[in-house]
Amino acid sequence: MCVTNNVCLGVGSSSSSHWELMGDAMVTTEQVRLTTDMQSKQGAVWSRIPCHLRDWELQVHFKIHGQGKKNLNGDGLAIWYTKERMQKGPVFGNQDLFTGLGVFVDTYPNEEKHLEAQKTRYTTRTQRIFPFVLAMVGNGSISYDHERDGRPTELGGCNAMVRNLNHDTFIFIRYVRRRLTIMIDIDGQHEWRDCLDIPGVRLPQGYYFGASAVTGDLSDNHDVVSLKLYQLTVLRSETEEKEEEDEITLPSVDNMDLLKMGENEEGWSSIAMFFTILFSMLGCFLLIVVGLIVYSHWNENRRKRFY
């Protein structure tokens, strides 16, 4: 399965095509352009055929480029594996409250700009560099927080400097044994770099692959050069087969609470460290004061002995 005009036949909106365009997306000689470098555009390309593979691997060749300078461009693109398809919305051109997996290449730091307007800043532990790649699993009732760049619901992610590069850029998404792995190849070295690796991800079969992008007041060209899906043959033990025999009907993540707990602990650790250092300094100061008082009394008593 792929989306390339010069490799696959029937790319576009014809009835014979396995893929369907939506919104401002258009087919060029080299790629599917989801949005042009203009304001208020949104486009998408969606598979017409649902994926019934148990284990799979998706390789996305994409390109993001435009005239805007750093942090004066937007908004990014998304790769989808969802129950719904061809639905416009605010999440990188797709609907909110989606059911399935979304992998986002976010190119604009909404939360950081909001904090700057309030004259506040991230800590060094929570600040991130954009563009940023992150993943989210939705069950139809979880909203993507655009103002916070998806932080409350993300599974993890990594920074990825993908704009205006002269070499090819790729995202690799693998789903095997209910484990989600995402890697990127953006340095022109033909080497995959780890982005996230999360076990316990439950994705139903029969969902649709797609890609979407959106621009607002800021813009970029968002291109999908190819979208290639591979079936993986994975041997399982009897124990693994029994563990996975139950049909998955709703997307979920087994350890989502632990992931959020880890984020909270990381957030609180900075505050705890601050107060630890503060009280340590106060304790040292108090010991010095007490020591000076004791020494003063001792020195005074010593003088009295000689009179």
Side-chain angles (χ1 to χ4, degrees), residues 257 259-269:
D257 292 338
L259 290 173
K260 294 293 104 180
M261 187 181 299
E263 289 183 4
N264 292 333
E265 287 176 355
E266 181 176 295
W268 276 103
S269 62

Side-chain angles (χ1 to χ4, degrees), residues 170-185:
F170 301 87
I171 289 182
F172 168 97
I173 305 169
R174 174 184 288 165
Y175 183 66
V176 175
R177 292 195 180 99
R178 298 181 179 176
R179 189 180 197 98
L180 177 67
T181 303
I182 297 178
M183 294 186 286
I184 57 176
D185 176 6

Side-chain angles (χ1 to χ4, degrees), residues 2 27 33 46 80 91 113 119 127 168 192 212 220:
C2 61
V27 178
R33 176 151 292 173
W46 283 94
W80 302 97
V91 186
K113 295 300 180 182
K119 297 182 179 181
Q127 188 175 18
D168 295 333
W192 294 109
S212 66
D220 257 337

Side-chain angles (χ1 to χ4, degrees), residues 19 83 109 137 268 300:
W19 296 87
K83 180 180 180 180
V137 170
W268 276 103
E300 184 177 349

Side-chain angles (χ1 to χ4, degrees), residues 136-266:
M136 170 183 170
V137 170
N139 60 10
S141 63
I142 302 174
S143 181
Y144 173 83
D145 191 339
H146 182 266
E147 295 302 318
R148 296 196 59 196
D149 301 313
R151 289 188 184 224
T153 53
E154 70 177 29
L155 300 180
C158 61
N159 67 290
M161 309 305 289
V162 296
R163 287 192 72 245
N164 291 336
L165 299 179
N166 294 323
H167 53 261
D168 295 333
T169 50
F170 301 87
I171 289 182
F172 168 97
I173 305 169
R174 174 184 288 165
Y175 183 66
V176 175
R177 292 195 180 99
R178 298 181 179 176
R179 189 180 197 98
L180 177 67
T181 303
I182 297 178
M183 294 186 286
I184 57 176
D185 176 6
I186 61 172
D187 299 321
Q189 303 298 319
H190 303 290
E191 295 180 355
W192 294 109
R193 173 161 64 89
D194 293 338
C195 186
L196 67 86
D197 185 27
I198 305 294
V201 177
R202 299 173 182 267
L203 298 175
Q205 298 179 31
Y207 284 9
Y208 297 90
F209 285 104
S212 66
V214 66
T215 66
D217 293 333
L218 303 174
S219 62
D220 257 337
N221 295 301
H222 298 92
D223 301 334
V224 174
V225 181
S226 66
L227 217 169
K228 300 178 181 178
L229 178 67
Y230 300 92
Q231 180 178 6
L232 302 180
T233 302
V234 180
L235 297 178
R236 287 174 168 82
S237 65
E238 292 185 4
T239 302
E240 289 175 328
E241 288 289 352
K242 289 181 179 179
E243 290 176 351
E244 299 182 18
E245 64 182 3
D246 295 333
E247 182 182 2
I248 301 172
T249 58
L250 194 66
S252 64
V253 181
D254 291 347
N255 56 347
M256 192 63 187
D257 292 338
L258 294 177
L259 290 173
K260 294 293 104 180
M261 187 181 299
E263 289 183 4
N264 292 333
E265 287 176 355
E266 181 176 295

